[in-house]
Amino acid sequence: GAGVSQSPSNKVTEKGKDVELRCDPISGHTALYWYRQSLGQGLEFLIYFQGNSAPDKSGLPSDRFSAERTGGSVSTLTIQRTQQEDSAVYLCASSAKTGLYEQYFGPGTRLTVT
Amino acid sequence: EDQVTQSPEALRLQEGESSSLNCSYTVSGLRGLFWYRQDPGKGPEFLFTLYSAGEEKEKERLKATLTKKESFLHITAPKPEDSATYLCAVQEYSGYALNFGKGTSLLVTP
């Protein structure tokens, strides 16, 4: 079956611009996660959604970052007024439920802020 | 202080030369430990989940084991196609996010 898909695969933007990154989870998966992977750093948790519950935003690095999930499926991560330190690969993952269920990752969006 | 530490950072093996990767962790309550494989330019690929000390799981040339403080990923008779970065992550009872180590970059040469 289809895996997690993300778009765009690459995004180059100028400092100060807003960007939107999209994630389509595996069909039927109720939990969705966003992570960030920077050069030399491990994967860093950003936010997760589970069904209709309020999202856990505890990993968002600043109020310039926000995310929403529409209809319990597609999610959009928005970064406002991008900074050079936002350059990273943004990874989305989904799992059948939260808890001890393996998370399946998409290919990521490589964001470069110039 | 890092909760998940992987060693070595990089490992080079000859084809057929078995070895182990280490993941040590410090958490208050471990719900599960995960191993992933990541190829360049791709997202992490799920390998194993371990739940409790003493558990072992195998897949082809890979075997993962878990103790109360660390996990090992044993690679038996590796092949060049096993070259990748191997990531370890822990999930605590206090949340659902995965806390990743920085990975071990494995290169297997013919």
Side-chain angles (χ1 to χ4, degrees):
Chain A
V4 177
S5 61
Q6 293 186 244
S7 61
S9 55
N10 282 284
K11 177 72 176 179
V12 180
T13 190
E14 291 181 352
K15 177 181 172 181
K17 300 282 190 182
D18 297 352
V19 295
E20 287 189 351
L21 312 179
R22 177 187 169 105
C23 172
D24 282 272
I26 293 172
S27 177
H29 279 193
T30 59
L32 186 147
Y33 305 78
W34 283 97
Y35 293 84
R36 176 169 74 173
Q37 188 171 33
S38 307
L39 269 178
Q41 301 295 320
L43 274 84
E44 172 191 16
F45 164 74
L46 298 175
I47 186 170
Y48 91 85
F49 299 86
Q50 166 56 28
N52 296 321
S53 301
D56 177 351
K57 305 179 182 180
S58 61
L60 294 178
S62 79
D63 58 9
R64 296 186 295 106
F65 288 73
S66 63
E68 62 178 21
R69 190 177 184 193
T70 54
S73 182
V74 172
S75 177
T76 302
L77 178 70
T78 301
I79 309 174
Q80 295 179 309
R81 305 181 303 281
T82 52
Q83 304 294 313
Q84 287 189 331
E85 59 263 29
D86 299 334
S87 296
V89 175
Y90 289 82
L91 291 158
C92 175
S94 70
S95 68
K97 295 180 184 179
T98 50
L100 198 55
Y101 292 90
E102 46 269 22
Q103 297 178 21
Y104 294 92
F105 283 81
T109 293
R110 180 174 296 278
L111 174 66
T112 304
V113 182
T114 61
Chain B
E1 181 181 341
D2 287 346
Q3 287 187 307
V4 183
T5 303
Q6 293 189 244
S7 61
E9 289 186 11
L11 180 63
R12 183 179 180 126
L13 299 173
Q14 290 273 346
E15 184 172 4
E17 180 186 0
S18 301
S19 188
S20 295
L21 313 182
N22 177 263
C23 171
S24 62
Y25 62 91
T26 306
V27 297
S28 54
L30 180 72
R31 179 183 276 139
L33 185 141
F34 300 76
W35 282 98
Y36 285 84
R37 167 191 170 129
Q38 187 173 28
D39 293 294
K42 297 190 175 182
E45 174 189 346
F46 171 76
L47 293 174
F48 303 108
T49 308
L50 300 167
Y51 306 96
S52 57
E55 189 174 6
E56 298 183 355
K57 289 194 175 174
E58 290 189 63
K59 179 180 180 180
E60 296 181 355
R61 295 177 293 282
L62 301 177
K63 183 170 81 172
T65 61
L66 181 66
T67 72
K68 288 187 177 180
K69 293 184 178 181
E70 58 191 349
S71 177
F72 291 94
L73 185 65
H74 307 277
I75 304 177
T76 302
K79 298 182 177 182
E81 53 262 41
D82 294 323
S83 298
T85 296
Y86 291 85
L87 299 168
C88 168
V90 298
Q91 187 183 56
E92 298 184 68
Y93 280 113
S94 59
Y96 298 108
L98 294 182
N99 188 352
F100 283 86
K102 294 184 179 180
T104 293
S105 177
L106 173 66
L107 176 63
V108 182
T109 57

